[in-house]
Amino acid sequence: MSNLRFSLSIFFVCMFLVTTAQNRPAEVFLKDGTVLKGLGKLTASNQVRFRTSRKSEKQLFSFADVDTLKVFYDNEPTIYVSVKVKDRKETMVLEVSQAGKNVVLYTLESQGYMVSPMGAGGMPMGGSFYSISNSYVRKTDEEEAAHLGSNQLFTKNFKKAAANYFNDCPQLVQKITSKELKKRDLGEIIKFYNESCD
């Protein structure tokens, strides 16, 4: 019975998160120049779910028609844009994490729940939430963003990828190769490149 309670608890938590996420203040900037203000969210299928008020009819927009989505979880908006990424045929919808005059940092968060193997009676023995964050960078004179890695244990060599990407700034490359700045310092790396690398 405890497994059933556990599964139901997870279900209700997920439903609560889904319903509250739809009620966030949002601004949708369409590619035709129209700006919509109301409540919205980005769905798992990269569509924008929007309504002008809680009681108004829901609208769905493809990101092919959307230039920018701003969702206000706090005072500052979370900004989503469609970005071309190297070695991918289709554009990706990414969150703008840090913008600057020389380079922009984007992230893609994937969250979910992993169920443990089945126990006696065919019920799951438990599970755990997971969150994977992938980082992408694009210099302001580039058309495509480059993937720099993720927070997963087994991922591409960040030091090599970052040193290669920022090779036009020897001071920054030295900080990366000497491990003065590591993957966890990506925000500092972006800040240094924007402020000190011209």
Side-chain angles (χ1 to χ4, degrees), residues 23-40:
N23 296 324
R24 296 292 183 183
E27 296 177 2
V28 182
F29 297 80
L30 299 176
K31 290 183 178 175
D32 68 4
T34 305
V35 179
L36 304 172
K37 295 185 179 183
L39 304 169

Side-chain angles (χ1 to χ4, degrees), residues 89-108:
K89 291 181 180 178
E90 298 179 0
T91 60
M92 297 177 67
V93 177
L94 303 175
E95 178 186 335
V96 178
S97 294
Q98 198 171 332
K101 64 176 183 174
N102 297 324
V103 70
V104 179
L105 171 65
Y106 304 97
T107 56
L108 177 64

Side-chain angles (χ1 to χ4, degrees), residues 48-112:
V48 177
R49 184 174 293 160
F50 177 81
R51 59 183 72 201
T52 53
S53 67
R54 291 181 194 275
K55 295 182 179 179
S56 65
E57 190 174 331
K58 175 180 66 178
Q59 297 174 274
L60 279 177
F61 295 97
S62 163
F63 236 96
D65 301 318
V66 174
D67 180 70
T68 305
L69 169 65
K70 293 183 179 180
V71 182
F72 293 83
Y73 296 104
D74 297 309
N75 292 332
E76 291 297 315
T78 299
I79 301 171
Y80 300 95
V81 294
S82 182
V83 181
K84 290 182 181 178
V85 176
K86 289 179 184 175
D87 302 323
R88 292 190 63 113
K89 291 181 180 178
E90 298 179 0
T91 60
M92 297 177 67
V93 177
L94 303 175
E95 178 186 335
V96 178
S97 294
Q98 198 171 332
K101 64 176 183 174
N102 297 324
V103 70
V104 179
L105 171 65
Y106 304 97
T107 56
L108 177 64
E109 299 282 341
S110 302
Q111 297 176 337

Side-chain angles (χ1 to χ4, degrees), residues 3 115-126:
N3 285 333
V115 178
S116 296
M118 297 293 177
M123 293 293 293
M125 296 175 64

Side-chain angles (χ1 to χ4, degrees), residues 3 6-7 10 112-118 123-130:
N3 285 333
F6 177 77
S7 297
I10 294 302
Y113 185 79
M114 187 178 301
V115 178
S116 296
M118 297 293 177
M123 293 293 293
M125 296 175 64
S128 60
F129 285 100
Y130 68 85

